[in-house]
């Protein structure tokens, strides 16, 4: 889990005493449970990207990871993230071109507006979500297919390109989660599965011994 989520590489940076690291995006925002799945799907792999003070800190971190051969991370330097204003301007022009004076029926709102975070991270979360809209269901979201990036409460993701992603999640969910300090919750299913495998192995051994 540490390797797939990049937390092993992040721990290396923290243990090395590198200052200016705020943490992964997943740990910098809080969401209501009713929106959690939608927002985590919308954010995707960007939940694991690491926020740092500056591009100088990011460069030092990358150099350390290379020297230690500790893997790769994507860094988001706060001094270079200037996303919100540009996104807002684009959204106004796009909505005007489509005649959208208000959100369609079934639209809950912008993903960005459904996350609680310190104002210092505004551009970070604007980068993570862009102008993604959150909808009640797939039927409602399809009304904006090709116009806006959209996600539903059940985790269906519709890209502006027209691509649609949906179905079921294997295991506990999508992996990275907001407020990911609940790592124990993610490990519990794995522990349970290992116990089941251990019990099955013991049973097979007993059965094999009885047949000798």
């Amino acid at each position: 889990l540490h390797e797939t989520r990049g937390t092993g590489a992040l721990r290396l940076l923290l243990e090395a005493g590198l200052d200016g690291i705020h943490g992964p995006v997943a740990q910098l925002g809080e969401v209501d449970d009713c929106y959690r799945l939608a927002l985590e799907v919308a954010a995707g792999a960007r939940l694991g990207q690491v926020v740092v003070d500056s591009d100088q800190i990011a460069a030092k971190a990358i150099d350390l990871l290379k020297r230690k051969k500790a893997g790769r991370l994507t860094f988001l330097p706060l001094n270079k993230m200037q996303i919100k204003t540009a996104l807002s301007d684009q959204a106004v022009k796009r909505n005007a071109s489509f005649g959208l004076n208000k959100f369609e029926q079934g639209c809950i709102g912008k993903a960005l507006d459904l996350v609680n975070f310190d104002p210092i991270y505004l551009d970070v979360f604007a980068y993570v979500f862009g102008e993604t809209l959150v909808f009640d269901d797939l039927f409602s979201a399809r009304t904006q297919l090709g116009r806006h990036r959209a996600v539903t409460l059940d985790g269906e993701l519709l890209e502006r390109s027209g691509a649609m992603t949906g179905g079921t999640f294997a295991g506990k969910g999508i992996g990275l989660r907001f407020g990911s300090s609940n790592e124990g919750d993610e490990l519990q299913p794995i522990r349970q599965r290992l116990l089941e495998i251990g019990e099955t192995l013991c049973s097979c051994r007993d059965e094999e011994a009885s047949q000798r």
Side-chain angles (χ1 to χ4, degrees):
L1 280 173
H2 281 309
E3 290 176 0
T4 58
R5 293 161 51 187
T7 49
L10 180 57
R11 180 184 291 109
L12 171 69
L13 298 178
L14 296 175
E15 291 177 348
L18 193 62
D19 293 328
I21 298 179
H22 294 244
V25 170
Q27 293 182 351
L28 301 178
E30 297 180 354
V31 302
D32 292 338
D33 285 340
C34 59
Y35 304 132
R36 179 178 296 277
L37 178 59
L39 295 176
E40 289 171 351
V41 168
R46 291 182 177 183
L47 281 178
Q49 297 179 0
V50 180
V51 178
V52 296
D53 278 340
S54 66
D55 56 311
Q56 182 179 13
I57 297 297
K60 289 181 179 179
I62 291 172
D63 181 63
L64 180 59
L65 293 177
K66 288 170 64 177
R67 287 189 283 110
K68 297 292 185 179
K69 297 182 179 180
R72 296 168 65 88
L73 287 173
T74 297
F75 297 92
L76 307 179
L78 290 175
N79 70 323
K80 296 296 183 180
M81 303 294 292
Q82 299 177 0
I83 309 297
K84 179 58 177 172
T85 300
L87 281 177
S88 298
D89 291 343
Q90 292 173 7
V92 169
K93 293 177 181 178
R94 186 160 62 247
N95 289 351
S97 67
F98 283 105
L100 295 177
N101 296 320
K102 60 181 180 179
F103 292 140
E104 299 291 335
Q105 183 177 3
C107 181
I108 296 170
K110 293 182 180 180
L112 179 62
D113 296 334
L114 301 177
V115 184
N116 297 317
F117 52 83
D118 189 294
I120 193 176
Y121 302 126
L122 174 59
D123 283 321
V124 168
F125 282 96
Y127 155 76
V128 169
F129 291 111
E131 291 292 333
T132 303
L133 300 178
V134 179
F135 285 82
D136 285 325
D137 51 45
L138 184 58
F139 177 80
S140 300
R142 285 177 55 207
T143 64
Q144 294 303 308
L145 186 61
R147 297 183 177 186
H148 295 274
R149 187 173 190 261
V151 66
T152 71
L153 294 181
D154 286 334
E156 289 99 4
L157 182 64
L158 286 68
E159 300 288 357
R160 286 192 65 205
S161 64
M164 300 170 63
T165 302
T168 60
F169 295 99
K172 192 172 176 65
I174 62 174
L176 288 167
R177 309 191 68 197
F178 276 110
S180 58
S181 58
N182 57 353
E183 183 176 287
D185 293 339
E186 297 180 17
L187 290 174
Q188 184 56 37
I190 297 177
R191 293 193 184 101
Q192 183 61 38
R193 181 59 180 154
L194 288 173
L195 287 174
E196 293 173 358
I197 293 173
E199 292 173 356
T200 301
L201 180 59
C202 290
S203 177
C204 290
R205 285 175 175 171
D206 292 341
E207 182 177 349
E208 181 182 8
S210 65
Q211 294 176 354
R212 288 178 180 174

